[in-house]
Amino acid sequence: MQQLIPAITLEVAVLILGLLMLFAEAFSKRADRSHMAGYAIAVLLALIGYSFFTQSAPTELTGYWKFYAADATSLFFKRIALGTTVVVLVMAREYRHVLQKYIPGTEAGRGTGEFYCLPVFICAGLMFMASAVDFILIFVALELVTIGFYVLVAYMRRHTQSLEAGVKYLILGALSTGFLVYGITWIFGLTGQTNLIAVKVALMNGFGAPSASGAHEYGALIGNEGALLFGIMLIMIALGFKIAAAPFQLWVPDVYQGAPTPVTAFLSVGSKAAGFIVLVRVLDVFLAVPAVQGKVVALLVVLAVLTLLYGNLAAMPQDNLKRLFAYSSIAHAGYLLIACATLGTQPALAKEAISFYLAGYLVMTLLSFLILIIVARHSRGDEIHHFNGLGKRSPFLAAGMTLAIASLAGIPLTAGFLGKFLIFKTAVAAGQWTLIGIGIIGVAAGFYYYFKVLAAMYWREPGDATAIRISSLARASVVVLSVSIIILGIWPKPILDQLKDAPAAPGHLANH
Amino acid sequence: MTVLNFIVLLPILNALAIAFGAPARKSALLSAWTQLILTLFAIAGYNTAKGGYQFGSTWQVAPDWGIAFTLGADGLSLVMLLLTAVVTLAAVWATPRIEKRENLFFVCVLLISAGAAGAFASVDLFFFYAFHELALIPTFLLIGIWGHGERQVAAWKTTIYLAVGSIILLVGIAKLYLAFPVEARTFDLTVMQANRALIPADAQAGIYIWLLIGFGILISLFPFHSWAPLAYASAPTPAAMLHAGVLKKFGLYGLIRVALPLLPEGAKAWANLLLVLLVCNILYIGLVTIAQKRLDWMLGYSSVMHMGYAFLGIAAANVVGVTGAALLMLAHGLSIAALFAMCGHLRQTTPSLAFTSMGGLAKRAPFLGYAFGMAAFASIGLPGFANFASELMVFFGAWKTGGATLNFGPVQIATICALWGVVISAVYMLRAYRQMFQGEPHDNTAAVTDPACCTRWAVLILLAALLVGGLWPKSYVNFIQPSVEALFAK
């Protein structure tokens, strides 16, 4: 294969972009910073194109780059991170009028520069995370993302809800970080390694049968299953916070509702995707150890059942759309956890399902939040009744929202359906009938709460019949996202091709 | 591109055009006419001597999973496509004036029709399923915006029921797909049919029950039927016509096309359960139908009841019975659509659809008197209409199960029970007819006149198709039977 540009240049480029934006924020003469978002969008779009020329190489076991994987899956997730950031910046631009009200200062647009700049740094963090195959890099990347979010969630300094959300997120985020580090130390203490591949080898040997040759690492860890499980549990708790799995979801509704809406969208997509990438990578290690595999799967099943039930059932009575999406995002984490629970028995199917589900989740969530931002700005509120009669006020936005809702609920010919189909398929293949039963209840509940939005848009009369004006950038984004929902739903081949010849598991070398 | 692509895609494109502001009623009518003419072309161009799927076209969607957008039609699909086209035309034609958001209304109607046509023309199981779901949101909107009575309750209940049915069906489809060995996994029904010996016999029962319940909810199999009468009573006329007439047949079509031929052992394992449920459909729901006091509810329940006969044909699991079931799908679809069209006209002109507040309508509206009478006779299953021919085939087929020798088993008992259904339908239909059309004219019906020309044509075209099937059943059976024989071929 010809030598292409190494994938790490993508992260470097994003970081440089973020630094340049910081300079621009500090020295720019213009008070209104929204032009910064425009430049950043252009650069990030160019980087998505550029990513197709970067190298997709198998992971190295040794050397300086052993903490960094550049396989097809990680490249795919880098593109997801870039695409998400682009849409979030579009949203941030739409949101600037709301933002201004809650920022101290008299001049229009002053003090909003970081609101466009921090998402770029978070994007870099997400991209590093997509490639991280070492606990240290995972931790650092996760912190880059989380710290960026601490600032963004509380960005509206004069809005008490935003501040409250910021404090909640900060405290629980710090707590989960603590769990993660503590869990990593336990694993490190057992294996003496932080690299996932090396950890996997050490665990498999350590819990394997003692060899005749007397090599001391074989069977050395037998009897330490409890210590390993404790470490695994701590790491799972930390990741549970990130992906918003029950019972670690308590922060989600308040933070989602209080944070500026573009940040909510970013949290629900970016943070979740990152959490699942890491989860898949670490599960690949933990599930390879026969001594604990059954217990880890049981833990995942419990998490999935709780998350599905809590997310779907608690979403039903919600009247605030942002809050509803918060619960629905918990529910989607539940569906993804179904696939995670099958990673042990059906690794190929499950990874495909998770990747595809996340790609679909990205487009449909971003589309719904983008429309939410536009409508909320014109209706001055984000309750469901603010969507009343949207079908009359703006057929364009209503159609877009209908598509997003159809996809979120899982109606065929949309991206969301195909994702759900793949998840259920893996669950059937793995014989996880409990999860399938709970999943069916969840889907039925989902139809109820998602269709509440449809009912508001089409059944009810508008309270305020003024037409809604949409900027051309937002209009273009709505069109692009809507079209991608349908294309992903009826023609998944491009996505599948991107995931192909992926050395799917970071640990595939460990078998040699 | 074959004629099937146009039949499936034209309504969708038309719906898009209407969404972007094309004149709604005219475009919808044009689309329905084109769909009917194209379907007739396809029927005329179908080579009966050759048989099998024709007009095939394939577009690879996800080769790794064996999903392709494959269209194709055999005799059975063509008959179902004809049903779709005729009922769509009648539904659009019989649509009363829409006061609010006419464009959205016709977009929804056309999408339902496109979904049904797409499902019947799909050879790929994945798209077969996906097309049916295309109707879910339009149904929700049609009932919720333009419905009558408790329309919001009806819209929610229908949506949740159909969604749950679909997801159960989806699990069943996934099970079926995974039952094949890895290298033979595909969603292409023709390949599945050819490879069906690869499905382990002991796994079939576990797959079949998911399909039966999934499809059963969509067909309103007892005890999953309670959404259907409510939905039909509340839905606007064209939606009720399309749903009861066409969309519900998707489930039966699926059982005949997928469950029965691919999982014969599974069908055997659950045969007794199905027999009990279908007898409940016929006798219990039949008695419930007799108890109804309003025309729309009575029609809704009668439509649930008649599904029992179709299930009986499927439970018979032989060529005669299944052919009868397929013909019954067509006959029931046409007759219930005609009845709902006339019910919609009465709803427009009378303050109440209660039987006690109507009477002597035949004097005020002679056309309605004749047409309703014919449709009611068809629905009972009197000779001369396709319903008679199909029910006869179903009963013969069911009686004959178990071989040539005189055999008396569960199917025969169910058949005897089902025969009483004919009496029950005669009771409720004739009683309704007497109360509505005969006797002294009621004051409430002062405003009733014969329907406008469009609605009359709509009803006539449905009745004509029924009469063809009754007087010359071979016209349809010649298409259906070879396809059914192919499904059962060893």
Side-chain angles (χ1 to χ4, degrees):
Chain A
M1 191 179 151
Q2 87 239 43
Q3 195 65 31
L4 290 165
I5 313 148
I8 186 72
T9 48
L10 280 171
E11 279 93 341
V12 174
V14 174
L15 282 176
I16 291 175
L17 171 68
L19 291 173
L20 287 178
M21 285 173 78
L22 271 187
F23 276 111
E25 159 66 18
F27 298 110
S28 168
K29 295 268 186 297
R30 278 161 74 175
D32 181 17
R33 311 289 184 178
S34 60
H35 65 283
M36 281 170 57
Y39 293 129
I41 290 169
V43 174
L44 292 175
L45 281 176
L47 283 176
I48 293 181
Y50 170 75
S51 74
F52 287 94
F53 299 98
T54 51
Q55 187 181 24
S56 139
T59 319
E60 289 174 51
L61 239 185
T62 52
Y64 184 69
W65 289 107
K66 69 176 181 182
F67 58 78
Y68 184 92
D71 50 27
T73 314
S74 48
L75 266 179
F76 173 73
F77 278 111
K78 284 185 212 293
R79 281 174 210 133
I80 283 199
L82 286 166
T84 310
T85 315
V86 167
V87 185
V88 167
L89 287 174
V90 172
M91 289 181 195
R93 248 185 109 252
E94 291 296 313
Y95 199 69
R96 62 183 188 271
H97 307 280
V98 184
L99 202 61
Q100 238 157 51
K101 277 192 279 180
Y102 300 105
I103 301 275
T106 47
E107 232 177 328
R110 177 71 71 198
T112 56
E114 290 93 349
F115 198 67
Y116 308 120
C117 175
L118 285 170
V120 175
F121 282 110
I122 293 178
C123 177
L126 293 173
M127 289 165 74
F128 271 120
M129 210 174 316
S131 282
V133 283
D134 189 295
F135 274 127
I136 302 300
L137 183 61
I138 287 176
F139 177 73
V140 172
L142 208 57
E143 281 310 284
L144 178 55
V145 171
T146 314
I147 290 172
F149 274 128
Y150 291 151
V151 182
L152 283 180
V153 168
Y155 204 84
M156 301 197 287
R157 269 162 277 175
R158 288 185 174 166
H159 190 40
T160 42
Q161 275 193 2
S162 175
L163 288 177
E164 184 195 329
V167 172
K168 276 190 179 149
Y169 189 60
L170 176 65
I171 293 174
L172 285 171
L175 188 65
S176 89
T177 305
F179 276 115
L180 184 61
V181 182
Y182 197 32
I184 291 174
T185 43
W186 276 80
I187 305 288
F188 179 75
L190 275 176
T191 60
Q193 302 285 350
T194 56
N195 185 291
L196 287 179
I197 303 166
V199 168
K200 187 175 175 180
V201 174
L203 286 176
M204 283 172 77
N205 292 344
F207 286 104
S211 85
S213 63
H216 73 281
E217 71 262 29
Y218 289 96
L221 292 174
I222 290 174
N224 288 325
E225 286 84 359
L228 176 62
L229 274 175
F230 187 62
I232 291 173
M233 194 187 72
L234 292 172
I235 291 179
M236 298 271 271
I237 289 174
L239 291 176
F241 276 109
K242 301 289 174 212
I243 62 174
F248 316 109
Q249 86 301 337
L250 286 170
W251 59 278
V252 173
D254 288 340
V255 172
Y256 274 35
Q257 194 180 358
T261 315
V263 178
T264 310
F266 206 5
L267 261 181
S268 79
V269 177
S271 173
K272 194 176 301 279
F276 272 101
I277 304 165
V278 175
L279 188 61
V280 170
R281 294 230 191 255
V282 298
L283 281 179
D284 186 67
V285 175
F286 299 150
L287 290 173
V289 186
V292 296
Q293 193 191 31
K295 292 204 171 93
V296 174
V297 170
L299 187 62
L300 284 166
V301 169
V302 171
L303 277 182
V305 168
L306 288 177
T307 311
L308 278 169
L309 284 179
Y310 183 85
N312 281 309
L313 298 183
M316 290 173 76
Q318 302 304 325
D319 290 321
N320 181 291
L321 199 54
K322 266 168 101 175
R323 221 172 159 81
L324 190 149
F325 280 142
Y327 285 104
S328 106
S329 119
I330 298 175
H332 285 287
Y335 294 117
L336 284 159
L337 279 171
I338 295 184
C340 289
T342 64
L343 267 171
T345 43
Q346 300 286 341
L349 283 180
K351 272 175 197 158
E352 190 179 64
I354 292 171
S355 305
F356 196 88
Y357 198 97
L358 280 172
Y361 179 73
L362 158 98
V363 277
M364 62 205 191
T365 309
L366 290 179
L367 179 59
S368 53
F369 272 108
L370 181 57
I371 294 173
L372 169 64
I373 287 173
I374 299 170
V375 174
R377 185 179 145 209
H378 284 266
S379 314
R380 298 198 178 71
D382 43 24
E383 305 286 320
I384 290 183
H385 68 78
H386 287 118
F387 275 72
N388 280 2
L390 188 68
K392 268 188 189 155
R393 286 180 74 191
S394 171
F396 171 73
L397 288 179
M401 196 59 159
T402 307
L403 204 57
I405 291 290
S407 183
L408 285 165
I411 290 178
L413 309 180
T414 61
F417 168 73
L418 217 47
K420 278 217 178 68
F421 175 63
L422 293 179
I423 299 250
F424 276 102
K425 201 176 84 180
T426 31
V428 170
Q432 291 283 4
W433 294 106
T434 323
L435 290 178
I436 292 172
I438 303 283
I440 289 175
I441 297 174
V443 171
F447 271 95
Y448 173 70
Y449 59 78
Y450 288 126
F451 274 41
K452 268 181 20 181
V453 184
L454 275 191
M457 290 195 302
Y458 288 106
W459 290 5
R460 319 225 191 286
E461 292 302 313
D464 156 26
T466 50
I468 293 178
R469 279 186 301 107
I470 315 163
S471 74
S472 50
L473 186 60
R475 187 181 285 273
S477 310
V478 170
V479 170
V480 168
L481 288 171
S482 305
V483 171
S484 21
I485 285 183
I486 294 181
I487 290 184
L488 282 183
I490 57 177
W491 195 42
K493 204 164 166 293
I495 295 285
L496 294 177
D497 287 346
Q498 282 190 46
L499 289 167
K500 245 200 217 137
D501 33 305
H508 73 289
L509 287 174
N511 304 328
H512 300 312
Chain B
M1 295 291 267
T2 64
V3 63
L4 284 183
N5 290 67
F6 289 105
I7 292 176
V8 175
L9 295 180
L10 264 182
I12 297 180
L13 294 179
N14 252 299
L16 275 181
I18 295 174
F20 280 105
R25 185 182 291 267
K26 280 182 193 153
S27 314
L29 202 55
L30 181 73
S31 159
W33 269 115
T34 332
Q35 196 182 350
L36 180 59
I37 291 168
L38 287 174
T39 310
L40 290 174
F41 260 117
I43 290 175
Y46 183 78
N47 185 345
T48 36
K50 199 168 129 233
Y53 286 101
Q54 296 179 16
F55 317 108
S57 66
T58 296
W59 180 54
Q60 289 298 331
V61 170
D64 299 9
W65 307 332
I67 300 180
F69 181 61
T70 310
L71 295 182
D74 63 358
L76 178 58
S77 346
L78 281 175
V79 170
M80 298 317 292
L81 284 172
L82 180 69
L83 170 69
T84 313
V86 172
V87 175
T88 307
L89 177 63
V92 173
W93 231 349
T95 305
R97 224 170 74 77
I98 302 298
E99 303 291 341
K100 50 179 182 184
R101 291 150 119 187
E102 201 183 15
N103 283 44
L104 185 61
F105 183 91
F106 282 105
V107 168
C108 291
V109 169
L110 284 187
L111 281 181
I112 292 185
S113 167
F120 293 137
S122 287
V123 183
D124 188 275
L125 191 52
F126 181 85
F127 278 95
F128 166 74
Y129 175 86
F131 268 116
H132 172 258
E133 292 282 282
L134 202 58
L136 196 61
I137 289 184
T139 308
F140 181 75
L141 296 183
L142 279 172
I143 299 180
I145 302 177
W146 296 278
H148 326 277
E150 292 180 82
R151 60 169 194 263
Q152 304 203 344
V153 178
W156 282 120
K157 193 167 175 180
T158 311
T159 311
I160 303 286
Y161 256 97
L162 294 181
V164 171
S166 307
I167 190 83
I168 291 176
L169 178 58
L170 187 68
V171 174
I173 290 178
K175 281 195 87 167
L176 178 61
Y177 172 82
L178 293 164
F180 286 94
V182 178
E183 62 282 357
R185 279 180 194 166
T186 173
F187 284 95
D188 191 318
L189 277 171
T190 49
V191 181
M192 280 179 152
Q193 176 86 12
N195 288 344
R196 66 188 152 158
L198 296 175
I199 308 175
D202 51 343
Q204 291 192 5
I207 307 172
Y208 185 83
I209 188 66
W210 285 87
L211 294 181
L212 181 65
I213 293 179
F215 282 128
I217 292 176
L218 306 181
I219 312 169
S220 65
L221 173 65
F222 179 89
F224 313 111
H225 64 278
S226 71
W227 63 272
L230 177 64
Y232 300 152
S234 321
T237 310
M241 290 168 73
L242 275 170
H243 231 280
V246 183
L247 215 52
K248 214 192 217 179
K249 309 298 178 293
F250 163 85
L252 293 167
Y253 180 83
L255 282 177
I256 294 178
R257 177 72 86 197
V258 183
L260 212 47
L262 295 181
L263 307 164
E265 294 305 317
K268 262 181 218 146
W270 296 101
N272 287 341
L273 174 73
L274 179 60
L275 287 172
V276 171
L277 295 183
L278 76 88
V279 168
C280 289
N281 252 50
I282 295 175
L283 294 183
Y284 172 69
I285 305 292
L287 294 175
V288 173
T289 318
I290 292 183
Q292 296 307 311
K293 305 266 189 291
R294 286 170 55 90
L295 177 61
D296 47 0
W297 279 86
M298 189 208 81
L299 291 181
Y301 271 107
S302 88
S303 135
V304 175
M305 174 202 167
H306 281 118
M307 291 302 105
Y309 299 127
F311 277 116
L312 183 61
I314 289 169
N318 54 24
V319 173
V320 180
V322 173
T323 308
L327 187 58
L328 181 64
M329 282 150 69
L330 175 83
H332 175 262
L334 295 169
S335 58
I336 198 74
L339 287 168
F340 270 121
M342 287 181 272
C343 170
H345 171 70
L346 285 175
R347 193 196 299 277
Q348 295 267 308
T349 45
T350 57
S352 158
L353 285 174
F355 292 130
T356 49
S357 73
M358 288 191 275
L361 280 179
K363 281 196 188 118
R364 299 198 202 274
F367 171 83
L368 212 57
Y370 280 114
F372 196 95
M374 283 172 73
F377 289 167
S379 179
I380 300 169
L382 293 186
F385 296 96
N387 307 56
F388 172 73
S390 58
E391 282 172 23
L392 211 60
M393 288 175 82
V394 166
F395 290 139
F396 282 175
W399 195 258
K400 255 180 38 182
T401 41
T405 53
L406 187 60
N407 194 315
F408 199 80
V411 186
Q412 281 73 15
I413 297 172
T415 316
I416 293 174
C417 295
L419 277 168
W420 285 94
V422 180
V423 180
I424 293 177
S425 358
V427 170
Y428 62 71
M429 273 295 172
L430 294 178
R431 218 174 50 167
Y433 190 80
R434 193 196 66 215
Q435 286 184 323
M436 288 166 61
F437 288 92
Q438 296 177 327
E440 281 309 302
H442 196 280
D443 293 342
N444 268 347
T445 57
V448 176
T449 51
D450 265 337
C453 184
C454 306
T455 313
R456 257 187 272 176
W457 276 111
V459 173
L460 282 178
I461 201 172
L462 293 167
L463 290 177
L466 271 178
L467 278 171
V468 172
L471 300 175
W472 188 37
K474 268 208 161 330
S475 55
Y476 297 121
V477 172
N478 276 347
F479 278 95
I480 299 172
Q481 199 167 350
S483 315
V484 175
E485 275 165 5
L487 291 177
F488 282 102
K490 287 281 177 303

